[in-house]
Every structure is written in structure tokens, then in C-alpha cells.
Amino acid sequence: MSLIVAEGLSKRYGNVVAVDNLNLSLEEGSVTGLIGPNGAGKTTTIKMILGLLKPDRGVVKVFGQDPWDNTAIRSMVGVVYEKAFFPAHQKTLEYLRRVCRIFGVPESRAMEVLEVVNLQEASDREIRALSAGMLQKFAIAHALVHSPKLIVADEMTANLDPQARSELLEVVLRLNKDEKVAFLLSSHILPELSMVCDSVAIINRGKVWAFGKLTDLYEKYAVGIIRISTDSSYALEAEIRKKLSYVKESDSDIRGISVRVVEGKEDDLYEDVLKLAKNIKAKILGIETGSASLQELYRMAITAKESE
Amino acid sequence: MGKGKPFLEVLASAIHEDFRFPFLELFAFFYALGTFVFASFTVGLSSQITTNEAIAYSVTNSLIGGSLIVFILLILKNVAYGLGNELEKGIIQTYFSYPLRRRGILTAKLLSAIGVSLLLFLGIQISALYILAPDIVFPNLGTVILTYAANLSYPLLISAIMLLLTLKLRRGGMGLVVGIVLYVAINIASGIAFFVAVSTKSPLAFQILSVISPTYALQYHYGGLSGISDIFSVPWVPTLSEALLYTGASYVIVASLFVLAYVYFSRRLNL
């Protein structure tokens, strides 16, 4: 069963198209990552899914229903926003108890969820006295109070230290495995998503550029990636793009270049890259093939789409 | 699960924020101060007024004066600053994750921001009337209620306008400025209306003003202000029915603006 179905979603802010004919679905029990650059339309998409924004066009259904002002959906969905805000002058445990009463769950659940995020020691603290990281943890505890079937999180780990991040990812994995909670997670921190997600939607310029099971996307975009470590990655990549027609996709950062070539041309690439490097006096530090990271998958998918 | 509990919890949370220490204590003190200390029984009505209703109106009106400013200040704080801040910071988004309809959330916020302020205001006022002038006021309860209704109409109009602005802009700064400007503007407008009415011998300016602030219609029904009305002849003595009509019309405007705010909040507000 699809928990979220978005079809042809579009949203404009004045002349800016934030989301353009976006299609997305999220299956029961899955952990789906929403990745894309700043301004890609991730937050707008999430807001439309949560019924905070009305789409200009298209349809979004959550648990088969329109999410706008829908109280039934709110009882089944937990929400973590990028910037979490709560009534500032209330104490954490006191406020979570209130949330328990709102959702009609036992008040003892308040302490349980604080323990889940390791925040029990701050139970007597006012919300305004929490640090940014603690506030984010509190937001996650707040989202767990009513044991939702789906948690939608926008940049959930943005304000957390590495230790807290890995703890939270463990919470995600545990809830998904033990309680079959589905997650829709948007994040810029791709290594994190690769640890927990089974599906990924790559969003760029308001559209879904690639969407599917991670294994399928690796198959499609990231098999046969060759990494070239060099001290002049941008210049060498420009040469490669200009002179090697059998290179299907390429992408570079300061440390090196990732390329995919037409099948059977791998050996040619080694020789040609060495020649091109020599011509522009670039130093080759290493060339290797291997499995791609989510970061590389993301960039190769973007490059592939842009060249279409 | 019933719908009552989420509503009551959101209301309790809103009251907790709006009236946290020391706001409740401070405003209750100012209300008491405004009612008992700054009530001016000497600045009343024209010397022509002698009926029991007019005296009851005069006493009630005198009591309201100082407290009404406190009421307006409290509404400015709760609607423009409180709700505006919650919209801007995203606390309303958090409320939108609870199983409560949007209109329920707005009702809880307004009950806290305006309803509790009004209860405080009326509670202290009624106590004062009971203590200070029970013999004059209670036989003329209709006049007293009408005086309160007429006096509260304009502050409620200000709060409805502030609410609409705050919702539209999703922040309270502009609503706060407009609220203060409107509060000052009505006093300037009444001065202008007075001189226009005296110089043109036409009550039109007062009639227009009374639609948004019916306290003027009631004031001139009972003979106008003391001193000024004795010197200048204001060409307007509305009947009680007219004063009631102006009061009713002003509440129709206030109610329409609140309905508009509800419709916007429920159907259009994108966060």
C-alpha cells in the first residue's frame, strides 16, 4: 500500500517554480530519502504532503486522503521540521504530556520518547533553554509520542553532532525494523541517508529526476564508475568531456573526477586520461573502479539527466 | 478519540504562553488600577442629563475609560506579538501536526488572546460596578450592557484587523503598528468629526464614525460630552434605537472580519 502518492504536484511562489509536475510515492514500511540541492523543492514538497501548503496543480494523498486540514492523517503521521519550534516557556516533559493528552495516549509515553532520544535529563528544562541539537532531539521525541505509522522529517539531523546523528539513525532503523514505521527523510547529508534509506528520490529544479529503490538506482546510474584522483580535477574533467566521446557521464570535485564510460571502453580510458593529464600537466594520483557512494549516485543521476 | 481534548490542550497551551508570569499579574493589576483609581466620575456627561439611564451610562462609561486602554494593550500583545510570533517561528506549524482542525486551533488562540483578556476586563469591571454603584447600575442593566457593547466594539474591530494582517503577513509587526495607529486614529477622527459636524451643521461625520465606533452614537444619545456640548451645539441626538442600530452594525463589521480571518486561516493559509 502506498502511504504517500503525489501526482503532478506543482507549486509556484510568484514567478519562481518551486515544484513542477512532481510525482512521488512512498510504500508502507519503507525509508525513502528526498535528496537534492538547496532550492530543489524538497521542503515545499514536504509541506504539501503535510497539508501546510496547497498545491497549485496536482494531487497529493496521504493514507489515501487529502492532507489539507485532515485530523485523521495527523494521528498517523509524525512530523519533524528543519527548524523545530514549540511553546517556549513550557517544560519538555510537561509539554510532551500535554501532547500525549492531545493524541489520547498514556502520559507515561512522554518519558519513554524522551528516553528514546536520550533527553530524559532535560525533562525539567524549559523548551527555550534547550540547545539547537537538544531542540531537534525534542522535536523527534515529539513526533514519536503517538506512535505514528509514518514520520516525515525535513533535515532531521541538521543541528546535531555526529554522535547524536548516529544515535538518531539507529532510532530510525530500529523503528522501521521493529515497528514498521515508514520514513520520508529529506537531507543534505547523503552518507547518512545511504545508511538508512531503501529508496531515494532525487529532486532538482522542482522535479523528481530519479526515483526508485537504491539498488535499482545504483544499477542504472552508478555501476561502472571510475574514480580518477588528481590535483587538477576541474581542468582534467573539461578535457575529458571535450576529447573523450565514449565518456557517458562525468562529475568532479576538488579531490577528483568520477566518470562512466561506454561498456568495453574502460581500458581505453586509463590510457587516454594519462595522456590528457600529461598534456595539461595534471598529476594523476590514482585511478580505480568500485561501488559508488550515494553522493556519487546523486551526482551521476543529475549529470545523466542534465545531458538528456 | 473526542475532539474536545485536543482543543482544550491547545487552549491551555496558548493561555500558558499568552499569560505566563508576570503578564497575567501585571495586566490584572493595570485593569484594577484603571478601574478603581483612574475612573473619572467628574468628566461625565452634559449638565442637561438627569435621567437614571444617563447616569448609569455615565457611571459605566467612567469606569471603562482607563481599563479599555489596558484591554487594547493586552490584545495588541496577544494578537500581533503573540500570534504573529507563533506564525513566524513555526509554532502554529507544530499545532498543525495535532488532530485538531485549523478553525479549532484559531479558536483556541483567539479565546486565549482576546477571550481571556475580555474576561479579565469584564470581571474587574463588574466587581467595580457592584462595589461602587450597585443602586444606580443594577436597575439599568440594559443601559450598562449597551455601554459595554458600544465601548468594546472598536477594540474588537482593531483586533480583527490586526488578526487579518497578522495572518496575511505571517508576522505581527505590521499588525501591531496598524493596531496602535487605529487606536490613535479614532480619537483624532472623533475630533475632526466634531468640528465638521459643528461647522457644517450636519451629523453625517458622526454617523459614519458611529458605524465603526458606536460609543459616539450612545454618547450623543445621552447628551454628548460635558463642557464641550454645553458650549457647541452638536446637531445630532440619536434615539436609543439608532444607537442600538449603530452598535449592531459595528458588530456585524467585526463579525464579518473575524469570519474572513477564519476562512483565510482554514482554507488559504499556507505555511
PDB file of all heavy atoms in Angstrom, chain B residues 107-126:
ATOM      1  N   THR B 107      -9.559  29.157  17.021  1.00  0.00           N
ATOM      2  CA  THR B 107     -10.483  29.463  18.122  1.00  0.00           C
ATOM      3  C   THR B 107      -9.736  29.415  19.458  1.00  0.00           C
ATOM      4  O   THR B 107      -9.899  30.306  20.300  1.00  0.00           O
ATOM      5  CB  THR B 107     -11.660  28.457  18.138  1.00  0.00           C
ATOM      6  OG1 THR B 107     -12.275  28.482  16.857  1.00  0.00           O
ATOM      7  CG2 THR B 107     -12.690  28.814  19.191  1.00  0.00           C
ATOM      8  N   ALA B 108      -8.913  28.391  19.632  1.00  0.00           N
ATOM      9  CA  ALA B 108      -8.144  28.278  20.881  1.00  0.00           C
ATOM     10  C   ALA B 108      -7.231  29.493  21.047  1.00  0.00           C
ATOM     11  O   ALA B 108      -7.141  30.078  22.131  1.00  0.00           O
ATOM     12  CB  ALA B 108      -7.325  26.990  20.870  1.00  0.00           C
ATOM     13  N   LYS B 109      -6.571  29.891  19.960  1.00  0.00           N
ATOM     14  CA  LYS B 109      -5.662  31.039  20.035  1.00  0.00           C
ATOM     15  C   LYS B 109      -6.438  32.326  20.354  1.00  0.00           C
ATOM     16  O   LYS B 109      -5.982  33.151  21.149  1.00  0.00           O
ATOM     17  CB  LYS B 109      -4.908  31.221  18.706  1.00  0.00           C
ATOM     18  CG  LYS B 109      -3.888  30.152  18.380  1.00  0.00           C
ATOM     19  CD  LYS B 109      -2.799  30.026  19.418  1.00  0.00           C
ATOM     20  CE  LYS B 109      -2.014  31.286  19.640  1.00  0.00           C
ATOM     21  NZ  LYS B 109      -1.109  31.165  20.813  1.00  0.00           N
ATOM     22  N   LEU B 110      -7.606  32.500  19.717  1.00  0.00           N
ATOM     23  CA  LEU B 110      -8.373  33.728  19.933  1.00  0.00           C
ATOM     24  C   LEU B 110      -9.023  33.755  21.318  1.00  0.00           C
ATOM     25  O   LEU B 110      -9.125  34.819  21.938  1.00  0.00           O
ATOM     26  CB  LEU B 110      -9.437  33.903  18.842  1.00  0.00           C
ATOM     27  CG  LEU B 110      -8.899  34.205  17.449  1.00  0.00           C
ATOM     28  CD1 LEU B 110     -10.027  34.401  16.459  1.00  0.00           C
ATOM     29  CD2 LEU B 110      -8.005  35.432  17.448  1.00  0.00           C
ATOM     30  N   LEU B 111      -9.461  32.586  21.775  1.00  0.00           N
ATOM     31  CA  LEU B 111     -10.035  32.538  23.128  1.00  0.00           C
ATOM     32  C   LEU B 111      -8.990  32.948  24.155  1.00  0.00           C
ATOM     33  O   LEU B 111      -9.292  33.648  25.124  1.00  0.00           O
ATOM     34  CB  LEU B 111     -10.544  31.133  23.441  1.00  0.00           C
ATOM     35  CG  LEU B 111     -11.965  30.812  22.972  1.00  0.00           C
ATOM     36  CD1 LEU B 111     -12.316  29.380  23.337  1.00  0.00           C
ATOM     37  CD2 LEU B 111     -12.984  31.765  23.595  1.00  0.00           C
ATOM     38  N   SER B 112      -7.766  32.506  23.916  1.00  0.00           N
ATOM     39  CA  SER B 112      -6.691  32.877  24.828  1.00  0.00           C
ATOM     40  C   SER B 112      -6.354  34.361  24.678  1.00  0.00           C
ATOM     41  O   SER B 112      -6.305  35.097  25.664  1.00  0.00           O
ATOM     42  CB  SER B 112      -5.455  32.021  24.547  1.00  0.00           C
ATOM     43  OG  SER B 112      -4.337  32.565  25.183  1.00  0.00           O
ATOM     44  N   ALA B 113      -6.146  34.783  23.422  1.00  0.00           N
ATOM     45  CA  ALA B 113      -5.660  36.147  23.176  1.00  0.00           C
ATOM     46  C   ALA B 113      -6.702  37.202  23.511  1.00  0.00           C
ATOM     47  O   ALA B 113      -6.397  38.215  24.137  1.00  0.00           O
ATOM     48  CB  ALA B 113      -5.222  36.282  21.721  1.00  0.00           C
ATOM     49  N   ILE B 114      -7.951  36.986  23.092  1.00  0.00           N
ATOM     50  CA  ILE B 114      -8.982  38.012  23.268  1.00  0.00           C
ATOM     51  C   ILE B 114      -9.967  37.618  24.375  1.00  0.00           C
ATOM     52  O   ILE B 114     -10.322  38.430  25.218  1.00  0.00           O
ATOM     53  CB  ILE B 114      -9.731  38.268  21.936  1.00  0.00           C
ATOM     54  CG1 ILE B 114      -8.724  38.706  20.859  1.00  0.00           C
ATOM     55  CG2 ILE B 114     -10.806  39.329  22.105  1.00  0.00           C
ATOM     56  CD1 ILE B 114      -9.287  38.786  19.461  1.00  0.00           C
ATOM     57  N   GLY B 115     -10.404  36.355  24.358  1.00  0.00           N
ATOM     58  CA  GLY B 115     -11.428  35.907  25.303  1.00  0.00           C
ATOM     59  C   GLY B 115     -11.000  36.065  26.750  1.00  0.00           C
ATOM     60  O   GLY B 115     -11.737  36.619  27.564  1.00  0.00           O
ATOM     61  N   VAL B 116      -9.797  35.598  27.068  1.00  0.00           N
ATOM     62  CA  VAL B 116      -9.334  35.688  28.460  1.00  0.00           C
ATOM     63  C   VAL B 116      -9.124  37.154  28.853  1.00  0.00           C
ATOM     64  O   VAL B 116      -9.462  37.563  29.979  1.00  0.00           O
ATOM     65  CB  VAL B 116      -8.041  34.852  28.654  1.00  0.00           C
ATOM     66  CG1 VAL B 116      -7.489  35.023  30.055  1.00  0.00           C
ATOM     67  CG2 VAL B 116      -8.330  33.383  28.393  1.00  0.00           C
ATOM     68  N   SER B 117      -8.619  37.948  27.916  1.00  0.00           N
ATOM     69  CA  SER B 117      -8.426  39.382  28.180  1.00  0.00           C
ATOM     70  C   SER B 117      -9.767  40.043  28.486  1.00  0.00           C
ATOM     71  O   SER B 117      -9.886  40.878  29.387  1.00  0.00           O
ATOM     72  CB  SER B 117      -7.790  40.077  26.972  1.00  0.00           C
ATOM     73  OG  SER B 117      -6.704  39.345  26.501  1.00  0.00           O
ATOM     74  N   LEU B 118     -10.778  39.653  27.717  1.00  0.00           N
ATOM     75  CA  LEU B 118     -12.116  40.211  27.890  1.00  0.00           C
ATOM     76  C   LEU B 118     -12.711  39.781  29.232  1.00  0.00           C
ATOM     77  O   LEU B 118     -13.333  40.584  29.939  1.00  0.00           O
ATOM     78  CB  LEU B 118     -13.003  39.717  26.734  1.00  0.00           C
ATOM     79  CG  LEU B 118     -14.315  40.447  26.487  1.00  0.00           C
ATOM     80  CD1 LEU B 118     -14.078  41.905  26.170  1.00  0.00           C
ATOM     81  CD2 LEU B 118     -15.079  39.794  25.344  1.00  0.00           C
ATOM     82  N   LEU B 119     -12.492  38.514  29.580  1.00  0.00           N
ATOM     83  CA  LEU B 119     -12.995  38.008  30.859  1.00  0.00           C
ATOM     84  C   LEU B 119     -12.388  38.779  32.027  1.00  0.00           C
ATOM     85  O   LEU B 119     -13.084  39.157  32.977  1.00  0.00           O
ATOM     86  CB  LEU B 119     -12.648  36.525  31.012  1.00  0.00           C
ATOM     87  CG  LEU B 119     -13.649  35.530  30.435  1.00  0.00           C
ATOM     88  CD1 LEU B 119     -13.157  34.110  30.669  1.00  0.00           C
ATOM     89  CD2 LEU B 119     -15.028  35.706  31.075  1.00  0.00           C
ATOM     90  N   LEU B 120     -11.076  38.997  31.917  1.00  0.00           N
ATOM     91  CA  LEU B 120     -10.387  39.760  32.964  1.00  0.00           C
ATOM     92  C   LEU B 120     -10.986  41.162  33.084  1.00  0.00           C
ATOM     93  O   LEU B 120     -11.297  41.640  34.173  1.00  0.00           O
ATOM     94  CB  LEU B 120      -8.907  39.911  32.591  1.00  0.00           C
ATOM     95  CG  LEU B 120      -7.900  38.930  33.161  1.00  0.00           C
ATOM     96  CD1 LEU B 120      -6.527  39.227  32.591  1.00  0.00           C
ATOM     97  CD2 LEU B 120      -7.868  39.049  34.683  1.00  0.00           C
ATOM     98  N   PHE B 121     -11.143  41.788  31.923  1.00  0.00           N
ATOM     99  CA  PHE B 121     -11.674  43.153  31.847  1.00  0.00           C
ATOM    100  C   PHE B 121     -13.071  43.209  32.473  1.00  0.00           C
ATOM    101  O   PHE B 121     -13.336  44.012  33.373  1.00  0.00           O
ATOM    102  CB  PHE B 121     -11.702  43.587  30.381  1.00  0.00           C
ATOM    103  CG  PHE B 121     -12.414  44.875  30.113  1.00  0.00           C
ATOM    104  CD1 PHE B 121     -11.811  46.089  30.388  1.00  0.00           C
ATOM    105  CD2 PHE B 121     -13.696  44.883  29.577  1.00  0.00           C
ATOM    106  CE1 PHE B 121     -12.470  47.286  30.141  1.00  0.00           C
ATOM    107  CE2 PHE B 121     -14.364  46.070  29.325  1.00  0.00           C
ATOM    108  CZ  PHE B 121     -13.744  47.274  29.600  1.00  0.00           C
ATOM    109  N   LEU B 122     -13.950  42.319  32.016  1.00  0.00           N
ATOM    110  CA  LEU B 122     -15.338  42.352  32.483  1.00  0.00           C
ATOM    111  C   LEU B 122     -15.432  41.938  33.956  1.00  0.00           C
ATOM    112  O   LEU B 122     -16.233  42.500  34.708  1.00  0.00           O
ATOM    113  CB  LEU B 122     -16.214  41.446  31.618  1.00  0.00           C
ATOM    114  CG  LEU B 122     -16.454  41.965  30.189  1.00  0.00           C
ATOM    115  CD1 LEU B 122     -17.248  40.951  29.377  1.00  0.00           C
ATOM    116  CD2 LEU B 122     -17.192  43.299  30.205  1.00  0.00           C
ATOM    117  N   GLY B 123     -14.599  40.970  34.342  1.00  0.00           N
ATOM    118  CA  GLY B 123     -14.616  40.516  35.733  1.00  0.00           C
ATOM    119  C   GLY B 123     -14.331  41.656  36.688  1.00  0.00           C
ATOM    120  O   GLY B 123     -15.068  41.876  37.667  1.00  0.00           O
ATOM    121  N   ILE B 124     -13.303  42.418  36.393  1.00  0.00           N
ATOM    122  CA  ILE B 124     -12.923  43.532  37.272  1.00  0.00           C
ATOM    123  C   ILE B 124     -13.949  44.670  37.179  1.00  0.00           C
ATOM    124  O   ILE B 124     -14.315  45.284  38.180  1.00  0.00           O
ATOM    125  CB  ILE B 124     -11.480  43.994  36.955  1.00  0.00           C
ATOM    126  CG1 ILE B 124     -10.514  42.878  37.387  1.00  0.00           C
ATOM    127  CG2 ILE B 124     -11.144  45.304  37.667  1.00  0.00           C
ATOM    128  CD1 ILE B 124      -9.081  43.084  37.057  1.00  0.00           C
ATOM    129  N   GLN B 125     -14.441  44.898  35.963  1.00  0.00           N
ATOM    130  CA  GLN B 125     -15.442  45.957  35.782  1.00  0.00           C
ATOM    131  C   GLN B 125     -16.732  45.659  36.544  1.00  0.00           C
ATOM    132  O   GLN B 125     -17.271  46.528  37.236  1.00  0.00           O
ATOM    133  CB  GLN B 125     -15.758  46.089  34.286  1.00  0.00           C
ATOM    134  CG  GLN B 125     -14.658  46.757  33.479  1.00  0.00           C
ATOM    135  CD  GLN B 125     -14.701  48.259  33.587  1.00  0.00           C
ATOM    136  OE1 GLN B 125     -15.734  48.872  33.415  1.00  0.00           O
ATOM    137  NE2 GLN B 125     -13.561  48.860  33.900  1.00  0.00           N
ATOM    138  N   ILE B 126     -17.201  44.422  36.423  1.00  0.00           N
ATOM    139  CA  ILE B 126     -18.453  44.065  37.101  1.00  0.00           C
ATOM    140  C   ILE B 126     -18.271  44.145  38.619  1.00  0.00           C
ATOM    141  O   ILE B 126     -19.139  44.651  39.329  1.00  0.00           O
ATOM    142  CB  ILE B 126     -18.924  42.658  36.649  1.00  0.00           C
ATOM    143  CG1 ILE B 126     -19.392  42.740  35.193  1.00  0.00           C
ATOM    144  CG2 ILE B 126     -20.066  42.138  37.525  1.00  0.00           C
ATOM    145  CD1 ILE B 126     -19.554  41.408  34.511  1.00  0.00           C
TER     146      ILE B 126
END
